[in-house]
PDB file of all heavy atoms in Angstrom:
ATOM      1  N   LEU D  83      58.948  62.658 -18.832  1.00  0.00           N
ATOM      2  CA  LEU D  83      58.144  61.605 -19.425  1.00  0.00           C
ATOM      3  C   LEU D  83      56.811  61.478 -18.602  1.00  0.00           C
ATOM      4  O   LEU D  83      55.754  61.339 -19.166  1.00  0.00           O
ATOM      5  CB  LEU D  83      58.897  60.292 -19.394  1.00  0.00           C
ATOM      6  CG  LEU D  83      58.147  59.055 -19.843  1.00  0.00           C
ATOM      7  CD1 LEU D  83      57.724  59.335 -21.368  1.00  0.00           C
ATOM      8  CD2 LEU D  83      59.048  57.847 -19.849  1.00  0.00           C
ATOM      9  N   VAL D  84      57.050  61.392 -17.316  1.00  0.00           N
ATOM     10  CA  VAL D  84      55.772  61.236 -16.444  1.00  0.00           C
ATOM     11  C   VAL D  84      54.830  62.422 -16.814  1.00  0.00           C
ATOM     12  O   VAL D  84      53.633  62.200 -16.914  1.00  0.00           O
ATOM     13  CB  VAL D  84      56.207  61.219 -15.043  1.00  0.00           C
ATOM     14  CG1 VAL D  84      54.908  61.280 -14.131  1.00  0.00           C
ATOM     15  CG2 VAL D  84      56.885  59.872 -14.731  1.00  0.00           C
ATOM     16  N   ASP D  85      55.382  63.574 -16.853  1.00  0.00           N
ATOM     17  CA  ASP D  85      54.547  64.751 -17.091  1.00  0.00           C
ATOM     18  C   ASP D  85      53.732  64.564 -18.430  1.00  0.00           C
ATOM     19  O   ASP D  85      52.576  64.873 -18.491  1.00  0.00           O
ATOM     20  CB  ASP D  85      55.409  66.034 -17.296  1.00  0.00           C
ATOM     21  CG  ASP D  85      55.782  66.617 -15.991  1.00  0.00           C
ATOM     22  OD1 ASP D  85      55.105  66.314 -14.953  1.00  0.00           O
ATOM     23  OD2 ASP D  85      56.701  67.407 -15.917  1.00  0.00           O
ATOM     24  N   HIS D  86      54.447  64.012 -19.461  1.00  0.00           N
ATOM     25  CA  HIS D  86      53.772  63.928 -20.721  1.00  0.00           C
ATOM     26  C   HIS D  86      52.808  62.683 -20.839  1.00  0.00           C
ATOM     27  O   HIS D  86      51.843  62.749 -21.580  1.00  0.00           O
ATOM     28  CB  HIS D  86      54.731  63.852 -21.837  1.00  0.00           C
ATOM     29  CG  HIS D  86      55.432  65.163 -22.157  1.00  0.00           C
ATOM     30  ND1 HIS D  86      56.607  65.560 -21.592  1.00  0.00           N
ATOM     31  CD2 HIS D  86      55.010  66.194 -22.962  1.00  0.00           C
ATOM     32  CE1 HIS D  86      56.996  66.805 -22.137  1.00  0.00           C
ATOM     33  NE2 HIS D  86      55.930  67.198 -22.911  1.00  0.00           N
ATOM     34  N   VAL D  87      53.081  61.703 -20.068  1.00  0.00           N
ATOM     35  CA  VAL D  87      52.325  60.514 -20.069  1.00  0.00           C
ATOM     36  C   VAL D  87      51.000  60.661 -19.261  1.00  0.00           C
ATOM     37  O   VAL D  87      49.929  60.001 -19.560  1.00  0.00           O
ATOM     38  CB  VAL D  87      53.119  59.218 -19.735  1.00  0.00           C
ATOM     39  CG1 VAL D  87      52.192  58.032 -19.645  1.00  0.00           C
ATOM     40  CG2 VAL D  87      54.187  59.024 -20.697  1.00  0.00           C
ATOM     41  N   MET D  88      51.200  61.424 -18.237  1.00  0.00           N
ATOM     42  CA  MET D  88      50.042  61.538 -17.347  1.00  0.00           C
ATOM     43  C   MET D  88      48.733  61.864 -17.940  1.00  0.00           C
ATOM     44  O   MET D  88      47.691  61.173 -17.635  1.00  0.00           O
ATOM     45  CB  MET D  88      50.346  62.658 -16.358  1.00  0.00           C
ATOM     46  CG  MET D  88      49.676  62.592 -14.946  1.00  0.00           C
ATOM     47  SD  MET D  88      50.327  61.115 -14.028  1.00  0.00           S
ATOM     48  CE  MET D  88      48.668  60.542 -13.478  1.00  0.00           C
ATOM     49  N   PRO D  89      48.613  62.733 -18.974  1.00  0.00           N
ATOM     50  CA  PRO D  89      47.274  62.938 -19.526  1.00  0.00           C
ATOM     51  C   PRO D  89      46.655  61.800 -20.253  1.00  0.00           C
ATOM     52  O   PRO D  89      45.523  61.715 -20.514  1.00  0.00           O
ATOM     53  CB  PRO D  89      47.612  64.064 -20.617  1.00  0.00           C
ATOM     54  CG  PRO D  89      48.848  64.679 -20.144  1.00  0.00           C
ATOM     55  CD  PRO D  89      49.657  63.643 -19.497  1.00  0.00           C
ATOM     56  N   CYS D  90      47.579  60.760 -20.611  1.00  0.00           N
ATOM     57  CA  CYS D  90      47.040  59.535 -21.309  1.00  0.00           C
ATOM     58  C   CYS D  90      46.676  58.473 -20.325  1.00  0.00           C
ATOM     59  O   CYS D  90      46.534  57.289 -20.623  1.00  0.00           O
ATOM     60  CB  CYS D  90      48.085  59.027 -22.174  1.00  0.00           C
ATOM     61  SG  CYS D  90      48.948  60.245 -23.202  1.00  0.00           S
ATOM     62  N   ALA D  91      46.642  58.817 -18.973  1.00  0.00           N
ATOM     63  CA  ALA D  91      46.479  57.765 -17.989  1.00  0.00           C
ATOM     64  C   ALA D  91      45.274  56.952 -18.203  1.00  0.00           C
ATOM     65  O   ALA D  91      45.338  55.691 -18.057  1.00  0.00           O
ATOM     66  CB  ALA D  91      46.342  58.468 -16.613  1.00  0.00           C
ATOM     67  N   GLU D  92      44.175  57.515 -18.754  1.00  0.00           N
ATOM     68  CA  GLU D  92      43.008  56.706 -18.877  1.00  0.00           C
ATOM     69  C   GLU D  92      43.234  55.671 -19.973  1.00  0.00           C
ATOM     70  O   GLU D  92      42.873  54.437 -19.779  1.00  0.00           O
ATOM     71  CB  GLU D  92      41.824  57.648 -19.461  1.00  0.00           C
ATOM     72  CG  GLU D  92      40.728  57.723 -18.378  1.00  0.00           C
ATOM     73  CD  GLU D  92      39.588  58.692 -18.905  1.00  0.00           C
ATOM     74  OE1 GLU D  92      39.776  59.226 -20.015  1.00  0.00           O
ATOM     75  OE2 GLU D  92      38.619  58.710 -18.255  1.00  0.00           O
ATOM     76  N   TYR D  93      43.806  56.087 -21.142  1.00  0.00           N
ATOM     77  CA  TYR D  93      44.220  55.052 -22.151  1.00  0.00           C
ATOM     78  C   TYR D  93      45.135  53.985 -21.564  1.00  0.00           C
ATOM     79  O   TYR D  93      44.977  52.805 -21.913  1.00  0.00           O
ATOM     80  CB  TYR D  93      44.747  55.784 -23.342  1.00  0.00           C
ATOM     81  CG  TYR D  93      43.723  56.342 -24.302  1.00  0.00           C
ATOM     82  CD1 TYR D  93      43.516  57.701 -24.231  1.00  0.00           C
ATOM     83  CD2 TYR D  93      42.986  55.540 -25.129  1.00  0.00           C
ATOM     84  CE1 TYR D  93      42.559  58.277 -25.019  1.00  0.00           C
ATOM     85  CE2 TYR D  93      42.001  56.140 -25.954  1.00  0.00           C
ATOM     86  CZ  TYR D  93      41.801  57.471 -25.929  1.00  0.00           C
ATOM     87  OH  TYR D  93      40.900  58.038 -26.695  1.00  0.00           O
ATOM     88  N   LEU D  94      46.047  54.442 -20.740  1.00  0.00           N
ATOM     89  CA  LEU D  94      47.105  53.477 -20.201  1.00  0.00           C
ATOM     90  C   LEU D  94      46.356  52.483 -19.289  1.00  0.00           C
ATOM     91  O   LEU D  94      46.578  51.218 -19.454  1.00  0.00           O
ATOM     92  CB  LEU D  94      48.052  54.299 -19.451  1.00  0.00           C
ATOM     93  CG  LEU D  94      49.341  53.641 -19.038  1.00  0.00           C
ATOM     94  CD1 LEU D  94      49.910  52.917 -20.265  1.00  0.00           C
ATOM     95  CD2 LEU D  94      50.381  54.646 -18.570  1.00  0.00           C
ATOM     96  N   ALA D  95      45.428  52.951 -18.442  1.00  0.00           N
ATOM     97  CA  ALA D  95      44.679  52.063 -17.566  1.00  0.00           C
ATOM     98  C   ALA D  95      43.862  51.060 -18.357  1.00  0.00           C
ATOM     99  O   ALA D  95      43.724  49.907 -18.105  1.00  0.00           O
ATOM    100  CB  ALA D  95      43.802  52.824 -16.642  1.00  0.00           C
ATOM    101  N   PHE D  96      43.323  51.556 -19.444  1.00  0.00           N
ATOM    102  CA  PHE D  96      42.521  50.730 -20.381  1.00  0.00           C
ATOM    103  C   PHE D  96      43.392  49.558 -20.872  1.00  0.00           C
ATOM    104  O   PHE D  96      43.035  48.423 -20.879  1.00  0.00           O
ATOM    105  CB  PHE D  96      41.922  51.456 -21.444  1.00  0.00           C
ATOM    106  CG  PHE D  96      41.374  50.660 -22.630  1.00  0.00           C
ATOM    107  CD1 PHE D  96      40.082  50.113 -22.402  1.00  0.00           C
ATOM    108  CD2 PHE D  96      42.020  50.483 -23.794  1.00  0.00           C
ATOM    109  CE1 PHE D  96      39.622  49.186 -23.354  1.00  0.00           C
ATOM    110  CE2 PHE D  96      41.561  49.677 -24.775  1.00  0.00           C
ATOM    111  CZ  PHE D  96      40.300  48.997 -24.585  1.00  0.00           C
ATOM    112  N   LEU D  97      44.583  49.946 -21.387  1.00  0.00           N
ATOM    113  CA  LEU D  97      45.593  48.996 -21.959  1.00  0.00           C
ATOM    114  C   LEU D  97      45.784  47.871 -20.880  1.00  0.00           C
ATOM    115  O   LEU D  97      45.871  46.777 -21.168  1.00  0.00           O
ATOM    116  CB  LEU D  97      46.803  49.643 -22.347  1.00  0.00           C
ATOM    117  CG  LEU D  97      46.912  50.129 -23.812  1.00  0.00           C
ATOM    118  CD1 LEU D  97      48.295  50.689 -24.119  1.00  0.00           C
ATOM    119  CD2 LEU D  97      46.587  48.951 -24.764  1.00  0.00           C
ATOM    120  N   TYR D  98      46.054  48.347 -19.650  1.00  0.00           N
ATOM    121  CA  TYR D  98      46.242  47.405 -18.603  1.00  0.00           C
ATOM    122  C   TYR D  98      45.159  46.464 -18.307  1.00  0.00           C
ATOM    123  O   TYR D  98      45.326  45.234 -18.179  1.00  0.00           O
ATOM    124  CB  TYR D  98      46.672  48.109 -17.285  1.00  0.00           C
ATOM    125  CG  TYR D  98      48.165  48.310 -17.145  1.00  0.00           C
ATOM    126  CD1 TYR D  98      48.707  49.359 -17.868  1.00  0.00           C
ATOM    127  CD2 TYR D  98      48.925  47.522 -16.319  1.00  0.00           C
ATOM    128  CE1 TYR D  98      50.119  49.536 -17.751  1.00  0.00           C
ATOM    129  CE2 TYR D  98      50.278  47.757 -16.213  1.00  0.00           C
ATOM    130  CZ  TYR D  98      50.867  48.809 -16.919  1.00  0.00           C
ATOM    131  OH  TYR D  98      52.176  49.009 -16.880  1.00  0.00           O
TER     132      TYR D  98
END
Side-chain angles (χ1 to χ4, degrees):
Chain D
L83 178 57
V84 169
D85 278 343
H86 283 96
V87 172
M88 206 64 224
C90 318
E92 245 179 358
Y93 279 100
L94 196 48
F96 168 77
L97 268 185
Y98 267 77

